[in-house]
Every structure is written in structure tokens, then in C-alpha cells.
Amino acid sequence: SASTVAVIDIGSNTIKLLVAQATIGKAMDVVHQASIPTRIGSGIGCDQPVLGEKSMKAGIGTIQELMEVAQPHLPTSVRLVATGAVRDARNGNDFALQVEKATGLSLDILSGQEEAKGIASGLLTDPELSSRNDFLACDLGGGSLELVLVEERAPKKTISLPLGAVRLTEKFVSNPQEPIPECETKRIGKEVKQTLIQSEFTIPGDTSLLVATGGSFHTARSILAKREGISF
């Protein structure tokens, strides 16, 4: 029998809703999707990130809005999950308590490893990757960067690193509204390189495919497509 479920993903930049119908033995069918840019992760570039009161209030409002959007589809269960911004914030658990008080649902704050494994599981359902047994997945969000090495269609190595686009922008970019100066670009590159080296996450030399996901990559792809006159 088929069941309809809804998941609300609280990210650093956006809060997303996915309503899907699952049937035993069949592929998942997407019923509805929605995404609202809420930016609860503002301030994540600090050494000790804290979610601001306005950010938390906006986040709860968006969650309630998406729950209302999901209801007409009659989901049998609704799950709330949070990633980098809430995970790293000193008051992340306080935010989770506020969400539960406002919605009646518990907020599951995913660990970096849980987030990375979830990304791999999702990618392995993509028909475009059905013939690919081995690849490297790179998910760039606002708060964190997840790397997943997939071998024989299973995640072999996963890691979550504090290299999200919002985090690095707040930490190194003096004016995000202007082109980034070369000196700031170099500092970002140095931070990324040092963090990757310290992580000791090694990539086999025969890895031939990189699968890039996340809002930052989507934005970059849109910019490049516009520049090259490509529609997608």
C-alpha cells in the first residue's frame, strides 16, 4: 500500500518541503516541493555561532507555513530535520524546543555524518546516476560542505566540514554585494585547502565523476549558463 510522507528540511539559507508517496517495491513519487529562503544561519561565520531571535522566529514561521502547504496532501507523517546552522549553533537545542512548542513536532538535528549519508541515499535514487557505481558527491550548503565517496553504489566514506558558502562569506568577505577582491579569494582558498588537508579525507585517483549538489552549486550553474547562453 502507498503512504504519503512530508519532510521539512531546515537549512542555513532555505527551508524546504518535500511531500512524497512511497509504495513498497516501487520508486518514490514526488507529490509536492516548496522552498522558502529564510536565512536562519545568519551569523554562522562567528567562532561561536548563535541563532538570533529574529532568525528563529522567522524559521518557526516558515516551518508552520510549509506544514500548512503539506496538509492538503494528507501526509501520514511529517518529519522536521535541521542541518549545519542549527547543528553548530550554541542555542540549537533551544531552537528545537521552540519549534516543538510551536508545531507539536520534534526537530531532529542531524549530525554531519547523518546528513552526508542522507545525501548519498538520495543521489542513489536518481535515474541519471543509475549506471554509475562509483562517484564523489559534494554537497555545498550555507553552513557546511559534505563529501561522500560512493563505491559500488554504497557510501564508503563520508565527512561534513565547516565550509558552507554563508559561513565562508561571513568570515572572509568584507562586502558580499561587490566582486570579491583577490586577497579575500585567496584567504577563502587557503581556509578550504587547510580544512580539507586536516580532514584527511582522501579521494582515490581513479574517481572520474564528481556530483555537485546544493543551492550554491545551483546558483553557480545558473550564472555560468546565463553567461554561455545555455538553458536548462
Side-chain angles (χ1 to χ4, degrees):
S1 62
S3 61
T4 301
V5 297
V7 177
I8 295 176
D9 172 19
I10 297 95
S12 306
N13 271 326
T14 59
I15 299 180
K16 302 180 179 69
L17 165 70
L18 173 67
V19 182
Q21 189 175 74
T23 305
I24 295 175
K26 295 184 178 180
M28 180 184 70
D29 293 322
V30 175
V31 176
H32 186 79
Q33 296 182 81
S35 180
I36 300 177
T38 310
R39 300 189 182 280
I40 68 166
S42 177
I44 199 172
C46 302
D47 291 335
Q48 295 183 325
V50 176
L51 298 175
E53 290 297 327
K54 289 184 178 179
S55 296
M56 290 192 289
K57 184 176 180 180
I60 291 171
T62 298
I63 293 168
Q64 292 173 319
E65 180 179 346
L66 291 176
M67 288 177 64
E68 291 179 2
V69 171
Q71 282 310 307
H73 302 287
L74 303 177
T76 55
S77 66
V78 180
R79 186 181 180 193
L80 309 182
V81 298
T83 53
V86 179
R87 177 171 64 237
D88 294 339
R90 285 187 297 162
N91 58 344
N93 288 329
D94 293 335
F95 175 65
L97 291 174
Q98 290 186 37
V99 170
E100 184 170 5
K101 182 178 180 180
T103 66
L105 297 175
S106 61
L107 174 60
D108 187 3
I109 304 175
L110 301 181
S111 69
Q113 291 295 325
E114 288 174 323
E115 183 178 359
K117 289 179 179 179
I119 291 164
S121 297
L123 287 173
L124 288 169
T125 68
D126 190 336
E128 294 292 327
L129 296 173
S130 61
S131 62
R132 296 283 191 168
N133 292 327
D134 307 315
F135 58 87
L136 175 67
C138 177
D139 183 85
L140 180 58
S144 61
L145 168 73
E146 278 69 45
L147 296 174
V148 184
L149 182 64
V150 176
E151 294 180 347
E152 296 300 321
R153 298 197 61 77
K156 296 299 182 182
K157 288 196 298 185
T158 61
I159 196 168
S160 179
L161 300 171
L163 296 174
V166 173
R167 190 190 299 267
L168 292 177
T169 298
E170 291 186 352
K171 193 172 182 179
F172 295 105
V173 179
S174 56
N175 187 354
Q177 306 304 319
E178 298 290 337
I180 303 175
E182 184 178 356
C183 61
E184 294 178 353
T185 300
K186 287 183 178 179
R187 285 200 289 269
I188 293 172
K190 182 179 179 180
E191 175 81 359
V192 171
K193 184 177 180 179
Q194 288 180 342
T195 303
L196 287 171
I197 291 173
Q198 291 170 1
S199 75
E200 298 183 345
F201 185 92
T202 56
I203 303 169
D206 58 353
T207 302
S208 60
L209 177 65
L210 171 66
V211 180
T213 61
S216 298
F217 282 124
H218 182 273
T219 300
R221 183 179 70 164
S222 299
I223 293 171
L224 293 171
K226 181 69 174 180
R227 183 181 300 171
E228 300 296 328
I230 299 172
S231 60
F232 62 88

